[in-house]
Amino acid sequence: MFLALPYFDRMHRFLPALIKREGRAVWSLPVTHRPRVFGESKDDVRNRFWTGIFDLFGVMWLLRRRRLPPRHQELPSSR
């Protein structure tokens, strides 16, 4: 499933939306968080905000242009 998704940088932020786009189920599982032992994060709101907004517009575009498979209807029998 993952390999069938459209690839773009930082797509990990939008995996649940992309998976749902394909008509699949998404589950949320609890995790444990541990404090950072060494170093400090180089990410902050200033350098992640604009890239996240830009990627959000790209994902919204992907969600709108999703082509769903054609629905098959059963033909009435001609008996």
Side-chain angles (χ1 to χ4, degrees):
M1 175 71 227
F2 177 76
L3 294 177
L5 295 175
Y7 174 79
F8 58 95
D9 287 341
R10 302 171 304 273
M11 70 183 280
H12 63 280
R13 297 176 183 170
F14 303 100
L15 281 177
L18 294 172
I19 296 292
K20 283 185 176 185
R21 172 184 180 255
E22 299 298 321
R24 302 294 178 102
V26 176
W27 294 285
S28 179
L29 301 173
V31 297
T32 57
H33 296 280
R34 294 172 292 187
R36 183 181 293 270
V37 178
F38 300 103
E40 59 185 56
S41 175
K42 304 295 188 270
D43 292 328
D44 63 5
V45 173
R46 291 174 300 215
N47 67 1
R48 295 183 73 183
F49 178 76
W50 293 112
T51 56
I53 293 294
F54 180 74
D55 289 343
L56 181 60
F57 284 114
V59 168
M60 289 185 336
W61 176 78
L62 279 172
L63 294 176
R64 277 195 316 268
R65 70 183 289 266
R66 171 70 177 137
R67 293 187 198 126
L68 297 175
R71 294 180 63 189
H72 299 287
Q73 290 182 328
E74 209 171 301
L75 296 174
S77 65
S78 59
R79 287 189 185 178

